[in-house]
Amino acid sequence: MKITKREVEHVARLARLELTEEEKERFTRELNSILTYFDKLNELNTEDVEPTSHVIPIVNVFREDEVRPSYPREEVLSNAPEEEEAFFKVPRILE
Amino acid sequence: MKYETVIGLEVHAQLLTKSKMFCACSTKFGEPPNTLTCPICLGMPGVLPVINRRAVEFALKTALALHCPINPSCRFSRKHYFYPDMPKNFQISQYDQPLAQHGFITIRMNGESKQVGIRRVHLEEDVGKLVHAGTMAEAQHSYVDFNRSGVPLLEIVSEPEIHSPAEAAEYLRQLRAVLMYLEVCDGNMEEGSFRCDANISIRRAHSPELGVKTEVKNMNSFKAVQKALEYEVKRQIKILEEGGRIVQETRLWDADQEITLSMRTKEEAHDYRYFPEPDLLPLEVSPVWIEEIRSSLPELPEERRRRFVLHYGLPEYDAGVLTATKALANYFEECVSLHPQAKVVSNWVMVELLGQLNKDNREIEASPISPQALAELLSLMDQGVISGKIAKAVFEEMYQTGEAAGAIVKEKGLTQISDEEELLRIVEEVIAQNPGPVADYRAGKEKSFTYLVGQVMKATKGKANPQLANRLLRERLGEPGKQTAD
């Protein structure tokens, strides 16, 4: 086993996901099969290959420091589950 | 038992760009909530962030000013955590390939220079601001304003080479001065554009191993940093002395109670699961670009301090105070250019002007007395038109009313009495009216002389030229200890 149920629970917690017992079992199985596949990729010798983070050979794409109008607030708040006095309203944060 | 304090500081400085790090929303402070946002800084799916060139330039400037070699290639990473101030659930930051590393800053403690290592300088984006309704205990909800979300931040991390709370405050003062000289950050700690977290541990003196550290947050001024760290040193020593163990945790400074409080840990240890940001291309900084930035660097506080010592012959202390901010150093130099007596100008700026400004909680930019106006006052004093004592009174008047020194002196008839005949008349009156002290002086009591000078000053409302008054009095009183028959 590459990954245990406990690790799946840990990752789910970090991502604030609530999983049922059944889902935990299923994701443990699926993640294991994915990681096993990576073992296969690891068989390749990549010693002289730079790690790829991008496939396009472009660097330094910038924008100039110019201000453009922001979105209207009504539009910004329109998808919020809850709002109050122009703020996004969220459950109370303890810390 | 002797202990050694080990402190490392992490500063987040908001960069003074007009627009945000990855989108064109304004970075303006104090706008109505959620009016400066767009799908990019709100973290909507499918958007494409693009790097603000000026933010990179500001970061490069700072890195070079802190003597950091620039990494020829760096990239952005996603730092994952879940908190309502950050809707996309990751912060774009730099991790394994920061912009620059391994620099230093020079600070001065008790007249000695010391270098503190800079571990890394990297770019990232700020997060939104949480507002709590009512007290923390009562609040049912929190409110989020995303105007700040995506504002460019420069993170500057020191090596753990700071060994006292006072040194930590000095490091921050110096670092803030560098950022402000570079004009890349406004340094406003209250508005949060210059923020600091501290890692602090203690260990037995000469022990090679570091102690367990705590992270202290929520310090909103240099004073708060110093007080919070002083408290932490005491707290940690007490635990060790009582045979306890320090717990590695985050603690919040409570400025009202002047204590640090343990903050419940929100993650099971830090597990940010960094990976390269796929939406941003790598950043490559060529030697040509570095040289271009280097040649644009202004004179920095450390250089300016040294120049003030060498060029103006000022004591180290004066030079340090006067170069603390660019505006103050400019004020001093403008004044000296008009009244070229550096030490006199330095004294007046440091004692009178800064004394008043500090009392009123004002910055030098808000001084009611311009450098030209101060130079005029000092020239009047230098030419003997007014005495030093009167000059101080005129200074006060100038500070309150903003009027020019010459006008005040004229209007109030404060011109010094340097006319020998006029002053002699007053001296003779004082001698005639004070037979007791005169006799005492002649009997050898030097103190009585000071009293008599005081009487002359009183009679002239402080306008007598002090040197002249002294000379005339001595002449008329004769040698002390000898009785003159008159």
Side-chain angles (χ1 to χ4, degrees), chain B residues 97-116:
Chain B
Q97 292 179 20
L99 186 91
Q101 286 158 291
H102 313 305
F104 66 88
I105 188 167
T106 306
I107 63 168
R108 290 187 69 79
M109 282 300 289
N110 310 318
E112 307 242 326
S113 283
K114 176 190 165 159
Q115 285 183 356
V116 175

PDB file of all heavy atoms in Angstrom, chain B residues 97-116:
ATOM      1  N   GLN B  97      12.267  28.468  -4.916  1.00  0.00           N
ATOM      2  CA  GLN B  97      13.116  29.342  -5.730  1.00  0.00           C
ATOM      3  C   GLN B  97      12.720  30.789  -5.502  1.00  0.00           C
ATOM      4  O   GLN B  97      12.011  31.382  -6.303  1.00  0.00           O
ATOM      5  CB  GLN B  97      12.976  28.980  -7.212  1.00  0.00           C
ATOM      6  CG  GLN B  97      13.549  27.613  -7.564  1.00  0.00           C
ATOM      7  CD  GLN B  97      13.367  27.285  -9.044  1.00  0.00           C
ATOM      8  OE1 GLN B  97      13.157  28.164  -9.876  1.00  0.00           O
ATOM      9  NE2 GLN B  97      13.432  26.007  -9.366  1.00  0.00           N
ATOM     10  N   PRO B  98      13.178  31.391  -4.387  1.00  0.00           N
ATOM     11  CA  PRO B  98      12.814  32.791  -4.130  1.00  0.00           C
ATOM     12  C   PRO B  98      13.588  33.747  -5.033  1.00  0.00           C
ATOM     13  O   PRO B  98      14.534  33.342  -5.711  1.00  0.00           O
ATOM     14  CB  PRO B  98      13.200  32.986  -2.673  1.00  0.00           C
ATOM     15  CG  PRO B  98      14.296  32.013  -2.435  1.00  0.00           C
ATOM     16  CD  PRO B  98      14.046  30.844  -3.358  1.00  0.00           C
ATOM     17  N   LEU B  99      13.190  34.980  -5.002  1.00  0.00           N
ATOM     18  CA  LEU B  99      13.840  36.007  -5.834  1.00  0.00           C
ATOM     19  C   LEU B  99      15.309  36.200  -5.466  1.00  0.00           C
ATOM     20  O   LEU B  99      16.170  36.305  -6.320  1.00  0.00           O
ATOM     21  CB  LEU B  99      13.076  37.322  -5.648  1.00  0.00           C
ATOM     22  CG  LEU B  99      13.501  38.471  -6.519  1.00  0.00           C
ATOM     23  CD1 LEU B  99      12.685  38.486  -7.806  1.00  0.00           C
ATOM     24  CD2 LEU B  99      13.318  39.793  -5.783  1.00  0.00           C
ATOM     25  N   ALA B 100      15.580  36.263  -4.155  1.00  0.00           N
ATOM     26  CA  ALA B 100      16.959  36.533  -3.723  1.00  0.00           C
ATOM     27  C   ALA B 100      17.197  35.951  -2.338  1.00  0.00           C
ATOM     28  O   ALA B 100      16.259  35.801  -1.553  1.00  0.00           O
ATOM     29  CB  ALA B 100      17.200  38.037  -3.706  1.00  0.00           C
ATOM     30  N   GLN B 101      18.459  35.645  -2.050  1.00  0.00           N
ATOM     31  CA  GLN B 101      18.820  35.041  -0.764  1.00  0.00           C
ATOM     32  C   GLN B 101      20.172  35.565  -0.284  1.00  0.00           C
ATOM     33  O   GLN B 101      20.932  36.149  -1.042  1.00  0.00           O
ATOM     34  CB  GLN B 101      18.948  33.514  -0.928  1.00  0.00           C
ATOM     35  CG  GLN B 101      17.637  32.770  -1.061  1.00  0.00           C
ATOM     36  CD  GLN B 101      17.815  31.431  -1.738  1.00  0.00           C
ATOM     37  OE1 GLN B 101      18.108  31.376  -2.926  1.00  0.00           O
ATOM     38  NE2 GLN B 101      17.654  30.352  -0.976  1.00  0.00           N
ATOM     39  N   HIS B 102      20.474  35.275   0.961  1.00  0.00           N
ATOM     40  CA  HIS B 102      21.820  35.449   1.536  1.00  0.00           C
ATOM     41  C   HIS B 102      22.348  36.878   1.499  1.00  0.00           C
ATOM     42  O   HIS B 102      23.424  37.132   0.967  1.00  0.00           O
ATOM     43  CB  HIS B 102      22.832  34.525   0.840  1.00  0.00           C
ATOM     44  CG  HIS B 102      22.336  33.116   0.690  1.00  0.00           C
ATOM     45  ND1 HIS B 102      21.913  32.378   1.767  1.00  0.00           N
ATOM     46  CD2 HIS B 102      22.176  32.333  -0.408  1.00  0.00           C
ATOM     47  CE1 HIS B 102      21.520  31.182   1.331  1.00  0.00           C
ATOM     48  NE2 HIS B 102      21.663  31.131   0.025  1.00  0.00           N
ATOM     49  N   GLY B 103      21.580  37.824   2.015  1.00  0.00           N
ATOM     50  CA  GLY B 103      22.072  39.198   2.093  1.00  0.00           C
ATOM     51  C   GLY B 103      22.328  39.583   3.547  1.00  0.00           C
ATOM     52  O   GLY B 103      22.424  38.706   4.422  1.00  0.00           O
ATOM     53  N   PHE B 104      22.426  40.875   3.791  1.00  0.00           N
ATOM     54  CA  PHE B 104      22.575  41.344   5.168  1.00  0.00           C
ATOM     55  C   PHE B 104      22.164  42.801   5.263  1.00  0.00           C
ATOM     56  O   PHE B 104      22.058  43.499   4.252  1.00  0.00           O
ATOM     57  CB  PHE B 104      24.011  41.166   5.676  1.00  0.00           C
ATOM     58  CG  PHE B 104      25.021  42.025   4.954  1.00  0.00           C
ATOM     59  CD1 PHE B 104      25.297  43.326   5.372  1.00  0.00           C
ATOM     60  CD2 PHE B 104      25.703  41.538   3.840  1.00  0.00           C
ATOM     61  CE1 PHE B 104      26.225  44.127   4.710  1.00  0.00           C
ATOM     62  CE2 PHE B 104      26.631  42.330   3.172  1.00  0.00           C
ATOM     63  CZ  PHE B 104      26.886  43.614   3.600  1.00  0.00           C
ATOM     64  N   ILE B 105      21.932  43.229   6.493  1.00  0.00           N
ATOM     65  CA  ILE B 105      21.636  44.641   6.737  1.00  0.00           C
ATOM     66  C   ILE B 105      22.529  45.074   7.897  1.00  0.00           C
ATOM     67  O   ILE B 105      22.814  44.267   8.786  1.00  0.00           O
ATOM     68  CB  ILE B 105      20.134  44.854   7.042  1.00  0.00           C
ATOM     69  CG1 ILE B 105      19.792  46.341   7.104  1.00  0.00           C
ATOM     70  CG2 ILE B 105      19.717  44.172   8.338  1.00  0.00           C
ATOM     71  CD1 ILE B 105      18.290  46.610   7.095  1.00  0.00           C
ATOM     72  N   THR B 106      22.998  46.302   7.850  1.00  0.00           N
ATOM     73  CA  THR B 106      23.848  46.793   8.933  1.00  0.00           C
ATOM     74  C   THR B 106      23.002  47.590   9.911  1.00  0.00           C
ATOM     75  O   THR B 106      22.262  48.481   9.514  1.00  0.00           O
ATOM     76  CB  THR B 106      24.969  47.697   8.372  1.00  0.00           C
ATOM     77  OG1 THR B 106      25.662  46.958   7.363  1.00  0.00           O
ATOM     78  CG2 THR B 106      25.948  48.101   9.455  1.00  0.00           C
ATOM     79  N   ILE B 107      23.082  47.214  11.177  1.00  0.00           N
ATOM     80  CA  ILE B 107      22.365  47.993  12.190  1.00  0.00           C
ATOM     81  C   ILE B 107      23.385  48.529  13.185  1.00  0.00           C
ATOM     82  O   ILE B 107      24.520  48.052  13.241  1.00  0.00           O
ATOM     83  CB  ILE B 107      21.285  47.157  12.929  1.00  0.00           C
ATOM     84  CG1 ILE B 107      21.920  46.001  13.707  1.00  0.00           C
ATOM     85  CG2 ILE B 107      20.256  46.638  11.960  1.00  0.00           C
ATOM     86  CD1 ILE B 107      20.952  45.332  14.679  1.00  0.00           C
ATOM     87  N   ARG B 108      22.983  49.516  13.972  1.00  0.00           N
ATOM     88  CA  ARG B 108      23.892  50.068  14.985  1.00  0.00           C
ATOM     89  C   ARG B 108      23.265  49.895  16.353  1.00  0.00           C
ATOM     90  O   ARG B 108      22.123  50.234  16.591  1.00  0.00           O
ATOM     91  CB  ARG B 108      24.177  51.534  14.703  1.00  0.00           C
ATOM     92  CG  ARG B 108      25.048  51.732  13.469  1.00  0.00           C
ATOM     93  CD  ARG B 108      25.458  53.173  13.312  1.00  0.00           C
ATOM     94  NE  ARG B 108      26.385  53.581  14.357  1.00  0.00           N
ATOM     95  CZ  ARG B 108      27.684  53.292  14.353  1.00  0.00           C
ATOM     96  NH1 ARG B 108      28.208  52.604  13.377  1.00  0.00           N
ATOM     97  NH2 ARG B 108      28.451  53.710  15.339  1.00  0.00           N
ATOM     98  N   MET B 109      24.042  49.280  17.252  1.00  0.00           N
ATOM     99  CA  MET B 109      23.576  49.088  18.624  1.00  0.00           C
ATOM    100  C   MET B 109      24.637  49.633  19.563  1.00  0.00           C
ATOM    101  O   MET B 109      25.797  49.222  19.472  1.00  0.00           O
ATOM    102  CB  MET B 109      23.385  47.593  18.931  1.00  0.00           C
ATOM    103  CG  MET B 109      22.103  46.990  18.371  1.00  0.00           C
ATOM    104  SD  MET B 109      20.600  47.761  19.002  1.00  0.00           S
ATOM    105  CE  MET B 109      20.583  47.194  20.691  1.00  0.00           C
ATOM    106  N   ASN B 110      24.247  50.532  20.441  1.00  0.00           N
ATOM    107  CA  ASN B 110      25.177  51.122  21.413  1.00  0.00           C
ATOM    108  C   ASN B 110      26.465  51.606  20.744  1.00  0.00           C
ATOM    109  O   ASN B 110      27.554  51.332  21.214  1.00  0.00           O
ATOM    110  CB  ASN B 110      25.521  50.114  22.510  1.00  0.00           C
ATOM    111  CG  ASN B 110      24.265  49.484  23.090  1.00  0.00           C
ATOM    112  OD1 ASN B 110      23.281  50.181  23.315  1.00  0.00           O
ATOM    113  ND2 ASN B 110      24.297  48.188  23.304  1.00  0.00           N
ATOM    114  N   GLY B 111      26.312  52.269  19.627  1.00  0.00           N
ATOM    115  CA  GLY B 111      27.463  52.844  18.954  1.00  0.00           C
ATOM    116  C   GLY B 111      28.288  51.873  18.128  1.00  0.00           C
ATOM    117  O   GLY B 111      29.285  52.253  17.519  1.00  0.00           O
ATOM    118  N   GLU B 112      27.901  50.590  18.100  1.00  0.00           N
ATOM    119  CA  GLU B 112      28.665  49.608  17.332  1.00  0.00           C
ATOM    120  C   GLU B 112      27.853  49.149  16.117  1.00  0.00           C
ATOM    121  O   GLU B 112      26.642  48.992  16.201  1.00  0.00           O
ATOM    122  CB  GLU B 112      28.951  48.378  18.191  1.00  0.00           C
ATOM    123  CG  GLU B 112      29.593  48.687  19.513  1.00  0.00           C
ATOM    124  CD  GLU B 112      30.961  48.054  19.623  1.00  0.00           C
ATOM    125  OE1 GLU B 112      31.131  46.948  19.075  1.00  0.00           O
ATOM    126  OE2 GLU B 112      31.840  48.675  20.242  1.00  0.00           O
ATOM    127  N   SER B 113      28.563  48.879  15.019  1.00  0.00           N
ATOM    128  CA  SER B 113      27.891  48.348  13.837  1.00  0.00           C
ATOM    129  C   SER B 113      27.786  46.839  13.936  1.00  0.00           C
ATOM    130  O   SER B 113      28.682  46.178  14.454  1.00  0.00           O
ATOM    131  CB  SER B 113      28.684  48.695  12.581  1.00  0.00           C
ATOM    132  OG  SER B 113      28.455  50.029  12.250  1.00  0.00           O
ATOM    133  N   LYS B 114      26.696  46.309  13.422  1.00  0.00           N
ATOM    134  CA  LYS B 114      26.523  44.860  13.424  1.00  0.00           C
ATOM    135  C   LYS B 114      25.760  44.458  12.173  1.00  0.00           C
ATOM    136  O   LYS B 114      24.851  45.175  11.756  1.00  0.00           O
ATOM    137  CB  LYS B 114      25.726  44.456  14.670  1.00  0.00           C
ATOM    138  CG  LYS B 114      25.421  42.973  14.704  1.00  0.00           C
ATOM    139  CD  LYS B 114      24.436  42.569  15.771  1.00  0.00           C
ATOM    140  CE  LYS B 114      23.962  41.158  15.410  1.00  0.00           C
ATOM    141  NZ  LYS B 114      23.402  40.414  16.509  1.00  0.00           N
ATOM    142  N   GLN B 115      26.143  43.361  11.567  1.00  0.00           N
ATOM    143  CA  GLN B 115      25.412  42.883  10.397  1.00  0.00           C
ATOM    144  C   GLN B 115      24.460  41.768  10.799  1.00  0.00           C
ATOM    145  O   GLN B 115      24.827  40.861  11.521  1.00  0.00           O
ATOM    146  CB  GLN B 115      26.389  42.330   9.351  1.00  0.00           C
ATOM    147  CG  GLN B 115      27.128  43.439   8.624  1.00  0.00           C
ATOM    148  CD  GLN B 115      28.040  42.917   7.536  1.00  0.00           C
ATOM    149  OE1 GLN B 115      28.184  41.714   7.359  1.00  0.00           O
ATOM    150  NE2 GLN B 115      28.657  43.825   6.826  1.00  0.00           N
ATOM    151  N   VAL B 116      23.229  41.879  10.319  1.00  0.00           N
ATOM    152  CA  VAL B 116      22.263  40.805  10.530  1.00  0.00           C
ATOM    153  C   VAL B 116      21.971  40.187   9.162  1.00  0.00           C
ATOM    154  O   VAL B 116      21.670  40.899   8.203  1.00  0.00           O
ATOM    155  CB  VAL B 116      20.950  41.340  11.148  1.00  0.00           C
ATOM    156  CG1 VAL B 116      19.912  40.224  11.254  1.00  0.00           C
ATOM    157  CG2 VAL B 116      21.214  41.960  12.509  1.00  0.00           C
TER     158      VAL B 116
END
